[in-house]
Structure formats: C-alpha cells, structure tokens
C-alpha cells in the first residue's frame, strides 16, 4: 500500500496526540521510528504521543518514549483486548508497572468501551477493565485516553460512576454536537482524527464546531483513519496538516491560531511539555 505525498507544512507546530508507530497495515511494514519522526517534523508535527494498547504494544511504547525525545507514551489494554486475556489481574499489574516506570509515560490509554467489535458476552470484562484503568490514571496522575465506539452513553455512565481524572481525552471523537457538549461539561479534551474530513461526517464536524478552542486536539490514530483525499491509504503523523486545515475551515479559525491552540492544548492535556 503506497504512502500518500507529503502535504504543505503547517505554520506552527502541533502534536499528533494518538499514534501507533509500531503497527503495520497490510503488506507494508511499519516505517522505522526515526524516519517517521523526521517526516512528521518536516511538516510541523515534531512531537507524538505513542499509544500501546496491548501488553507488547505497551512495552514497545515505553521503550520508544525512553529512546526518542519527540515521543511520550500511553499504555493500556484496549477494550477489545480485555475480554481475550487469560488473566485481567496479571495484565493490569503489568500495565501499572509500565505506567509507573518512566516519567515519559504520560497516559493510561487507550482504554474504554467498544460495542462494535465486542458482543454482549465480553462487555462485563470490558467495563471492569475500563474502571480499573480510570482508577490507575487517578492514582498515578496520568491522562486518561478513552476509546469509545458505539458506546457513548455507557462511557459517560462509567465515568460518572468512577469520577473522571483531572485530565482526560476522548480519542478519535465520534459523536455529535450534543455528545460533545456532554463530554465537555465533564472536563474532556476532544481529539479529532482524519474522520472529520470524511464526506459522511457532518455530525462530527458539528461537534468540532462547538468545541471550545482550548479543548480541541488533533490526532492520526495512524496507520488508520487517513484523511481525505487519501482515505484508504496508509496514515502517518506527517499527514496531520490535512486534518488540521480541514478543522480550521470547519471552525472558521485562522490556521496559525488553531495550530498554536492545538499545541498548547496537547501539553495541557498530557501533563506539560516534552
């Protein structure tokens, strides 16, 4: 699967706050980290939050963040991963150890709920895992990164029950304006991916439009969710400018002002500069 061309650089640096540099897609292997970082920095994306969402991925994220100045890490058990585990207790113990292992592990995530890929039989374990990740984020003062697929109301129910941590992000926000307001009223940062450029995403663009400038983030979720006009091809952090320009148009923001806000918001959401 070929890589899309490099877009025009942004006028101010921004952070890709959710990426999977270790994940290959299709027949093409993951790009070497140094190459991926250089390509992103060349278009105004000099920093990335690397997310690990199973035990091997979490170990990789911690090691990568310790190795590369441009990276910080998030570690967790993805909601689709939790029901497959032989022992949630053992896996959570390792996630906690990894989360506490290095000051460049800034986040517990992605955790949450996914009612698209996991059926009724796995949802109790998913919810237990989510609750335990919320507790971990609060105890370690880490940012909570939430995966929410077809589970909007259940995510809010669990958050309200447990109490949200000080900093939390709705990764790849997928709701409408009403759901955006519900999340924002609880203190969320809303992170928008390439999906905001998709033709059928009018409710998502309405959500983006009502999000205050100090609560909006941008991400790739690479290698997935490649923005238009390259939807379906391999995504990477160097394509963030396509999403940011689309976001500025939807919001009516000056591009430079939006970039500066995205940069500052990501630092605030993930516990400061790196």
């Amino acid at each position: 699967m070929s890589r899309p061309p490099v877009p025009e650089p942004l006028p101010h640096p921004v952070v890709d706050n959710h990426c999977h540099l270790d994940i290959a897609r299709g027949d093409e292997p993951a790009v070497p980290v140094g190459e991926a970082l250089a390509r992103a920095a060349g278009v105004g994306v000099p920093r990335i939050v690397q997310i690990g969402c199973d035990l091997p991925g979490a170990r990789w994220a911690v090691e990568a963040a310790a190795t590369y100045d441009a990276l910080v890490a998030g570690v967790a058990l993805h909601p689709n991963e939790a029901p497959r585990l032989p022992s949630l207790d053992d896996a959570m113990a390792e996630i906690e150890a990894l989360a506490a292992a290095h000051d460049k592990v800034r986040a517990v995530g992605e955790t949450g709920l996914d009612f698209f890929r996991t059926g009724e039989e796995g949802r109790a374990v998913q919810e237990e895992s989510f609750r335990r990740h919320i507790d971990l984020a609060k105890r370690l003062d880490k940012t909570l990164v939430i995966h929410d697929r077809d589970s909007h109301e259940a995510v809010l129910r669990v958050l309200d029950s447990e109490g949200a941590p000080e900093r939390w992000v709705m990764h790849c926000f997928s709701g409408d304006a009403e759901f955006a307001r519900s999340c924002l009223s609880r203190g969320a940062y809303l992170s928008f991916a390439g999906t905001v450029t998709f033709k059928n995403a009018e409710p998502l663009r309405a959500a983006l439009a009502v999000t205050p400038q100090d609560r909006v983030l941008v991400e790739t979720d690479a290698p997935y969710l490649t923005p238009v006009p390259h939807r379906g091809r391999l995504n990477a952090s160097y394509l963030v400018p396509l999403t940011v320009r689309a976001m500025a148009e939807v919001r009516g923001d000056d591009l430079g002002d939006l970039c500066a806000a995205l940069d500052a918001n990501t630092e605030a959401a993930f516990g400061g500069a790196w």
Side-chain angles (χ1 to χ4, degrees):
M1 189 178 295
S2 62
R3 299 254 167 205
V6 175
E8 182 182 351
L10 292 168
H12 185 287
V14 303
V15 182
D16 178 358
N17 88 94
H18 196 109
C19 187
H20 304 283
L21 290 164
D22 56 321
I23 295 180
R25 185 178 172 198
D27 296 331
E28 187 167 335
V31 173
V33 176
E35 180 183 335
L37 294 176
R39 190 178 296 175
V43 296
V45 187
R47 294 181 292 167
I48 295 170
V49 183
Q50 166 65 23
I51 298 294
C53 47
D54 57 18
L55 291 177
R59 296 172 196 135
W60 193 97
V62 174
E63 182 177 351
T67 303
Y68 296 95
D69 291 342
L71 299 179
V72 294
V75 297
L77 305 172
H78 191 282
N80 291 326
E81 176 73 5
R84 305 186 187 117
L85 294 165
S87 170
L88 181 62
D89 287 344
D90 290 348
M92 283 301 307
E94 182 168 355
I95 290 296
E96 179 162 355
L98 289 166
H102 200 288
D103 61 6
K104 290 191 75 180
V105 181
R106 298 292 185 89
V108 171
E110 58 187 285
T111 180
L113 300 173
D114 189 317
F115 294 170
F116 179 77
R117 296 196 183 279
T118 297
E120 292 285 349
E121 70 284 353
R123 291 181 184 175
V125 176
Q126 254 193 20
E127 184 169 318
E128 179 186 356
S129 176
F130 185 25
R131 290 180 184 275
R132 292 173 70 164
H133 282 85
I134 295 170
D135 173 70
L136 180 60
K138 291 193 289 188
R139 285 192 288 108
L140 297 184
D141 189 28
K142 305 290 185 181
T143 302
L144 183 71
V145 176
I146 296 178
H147 171 105
D148 158 35
R149 189 164 186 187
D150 293 354
S151 57
H152 298 338
E153 298 309 316
V155 164
L156 295 184
R157 172 180 56 79
V158 173
L159 275 173
D160 289 344
S161 172
E162 295 293 321
E166 181 179 352
R167 302 178 307 279
W168 62 285
V169 175
M170 289 295 284
H171 143 62
C172 190
F173 186 79
S174 59
D176 58 12
E178 181 180 0
F179 184 59
R181 293 187 182 98
S182 295
C183 295
L184 291 162
S185 70
R186 292 165 168 83
Y189 289 89
L190 305 187
S191 179
F192 293 85
T195 44
V196 78
T197 71
F198 294 179
K199 184 176 181 180
N200 62 350
E202 284 301 330
L204 182 58
R205 286 187 281 274
L208 172 62
V210 303
T211 303
Q213 194 178 72
D214 65 352
R215 286 281 149 177
V216 66
L217 306 176
V218 68
E219 66 173 271
T220 55
D221 199 24
Y224 313 109
L225 305 182
T226 312
V228 172
H230 306 300
R231 184 178 182 181
R233 298 173 72 182
L234 288 165
N235 200 7
S237 297
Y238 77 90
L239 295 176
V240 163
L242 298 174
T243 302
V244 174
R245 285 187 166 87
M247 291 169 66
E249 184 174 348
V250 168
R251 295 173 54 83
D253 288 344
D254 173 81
L255 179 61
D257 290 347
L258 178 60
C259 289
L262 290 167
D263 200 40
N265 295 347
T266 312
E267 289 191 359
F270 286 89
W274 67 90

